Amino acid sequence: DVKVTQSSRYLVKRTGEKVFLECVQDMDHENMFWYRQDPGLGLRLIYFSYDVKMKEKGDIPEGYSVSREKKERFSLILESASTNQTSMYLCASTHSWGREGFDEQFFGPGTRLTVL
Amino acid sequence: QKEVEQNSGPLSVPEGAIASLNCTYSDRGSQSFFWYRQYSGKSPELIMSIYSNGDKEDGRFTAQLNKASQYVSLLIRDSQPSDSATYLCAVNDAQGSGNTGKLIFGQGTTLQVKP
């Protein structure tokens, strides 16, 4: 079974703090994604990565950055947390290109971040 | 703007009934279609994938795809209270003849199965 883990289930930070959210997958997936999910707005893509050291902006990258130094790990960084970044953050990964079902995304358990 | 549309619900069905969840999408180039189940406070869980027109059955779940009508549905037979959740429809974000690997998600339909 695919396993995607996230570093924290719940996190409380203060405005202006630098926040790191970690995601690790154990299936040698090449593609990894970060989303945030808010009531009424659905899932919104923040950043994604097709390979180590590669990153692409999603729909709402402002205020975020990412790091992918190792294939299994994809980190989301809030450079200076703000209250409007209070949200559920979800990481997902997919199979390698070319395999059937390569774009089936498997999600981690999520991190509920509160910025005070 | 590529879109995936779902009725937000709630859709309420009695236990044992068939629940029918519907989804339409705007991008004719999409080739991959998914249904995710999300319990309150939890992350989405993939329950069905479908790539060809027609029906695909897995246990009590049947996914139906009609690419000509740009329509995908999920039927849940013998609905149980444990099926009460939000169901997200997702389609791949195709760009021209390629596939970005990204998915476009609908906002989800809330299903309530009443005992």
Side-chain angles (χ1 to χ4, degrees):
Chain A
D1 278 352
V2 175
K3 189 166 184 184
V4 181
T5 57
Q6 294 184 231
S7 49
S8 305
R9 289 301 310 276
Y10 300 94
L11 208 54
V12 180
K13 295 292 182 181
R14 297 216 172 265
T15 301
E17 280 193 77
K18 191 169 186 176
V19 181
F20 293 86
L21 303 181
E22 301 282 326
C23 175
V24 177
Q25 48 88 10
D26 67 356
M27 287 298 291
D28 200 33
H29 287 178
E30 289 185 349
N31 309 326
M32 298 186 74
F33 304 81
W34 273 107
Y35 296 89
R36 63 178 284 177
Q37 187 175 34
D38 302 285
L41 297 176
L43 278 163
R44 292 182 290 169
L45 182 63
I46 304 171
Y47 267 97
F48 58 105
S49 170
Y50 292 135
D51 204 347
V52 175
K53 297 194 185 296
M54 294 184 67
K55 59 185 179 184
E56 299 280 346
K57 292 180 179 179
D59 301 318
I60 52 162
E62 297 78 18
Y64 303 94
S65 62
V66 290
S67 172
R68 191 147 179 222
E69 296 296 318
K70 293 185 177 181
K71 191 174 185 177
E72 67 271 19
R73 188 181 298 270
F74 191 35
S75 302
L76 180 69
I77 303 155
L78 286 65
E79 297 290 344
S80 178
S82 63
T83 54
N84 63 13
Q85 291 179 311
T86 291
S87 187
M88 168 74 101
Y89 289 87
L90 292 160
C91 174
S93 70
T94 70
H95 295 295
S96 303
W97 296 103
R99 288 183 52 174
E100 182 177 313
F102 83 91
D103 49 4
E104 295 176 342
Q105 290 191 11
F106 297 92
F107 285 85
T111 295
R112 186 163 294 281
L113 173 67
T114 301
V115 182
L116 302 176
Chain B
Q1 180 76 1
K2 299 173 186 176
E3 293 183 332
V4 174
E5 299 282 347
Q6 296 181 256
N7 188 322
S8 62
L11 172 65
S12 184
V13 301
E15 183 174 356
I18 296 175
S20 178
L21 304 163
N22 304 315
C23 171
T24 59
Y25 59 95
S26 63
D27 186 1
R28 284 197 171 274
S30 294
Q31 297 294 325
S32 307
F33 306 87
F34 308 97
W35 283 99
Y36 287 83
R37 178 177 61 200
Q38 186 173 24
Y39 293 114
S40 180
K42 303 294 186 183
S43 62
E45 173 192 10
L46 180 65
I47 55 172
M48 289 289 284
S49 308
I50 187 166
Y51 302 93
S52 304
N53 278 327
D55 294 359
K56 179 182 178 183
E57 187 175 317
D58 184 0
R60 295 186 296 111
F61 298 98
T62 299
Q64 299 175 317
L65 175 61
N66 184 325
K67 290 183 182 179
S69 300
Q70 294 175 245
Y71 175 91
V72 57
S73 64
L74 179 70
L75 301 179
I76 306 174
R77 290 183 300 282
D78 189 23
S79 295
Q80 302 296 310
S82 58
D83 295 325
S84 298
T86 296
Y87 289 80
L88 303 174
C89 173
V91 307
N92 72 298
D93 184 0
Q95 290 188 356
S97 59
N99 191 334
T100 64
K102 295 189 292 181
L103 298 182
I104 305 169
F105 286 86
Q107 296 238 359
T109 298
T110 299
L111 173 66
Q112 297 174 346
V113 181
K114 306 208 168 181

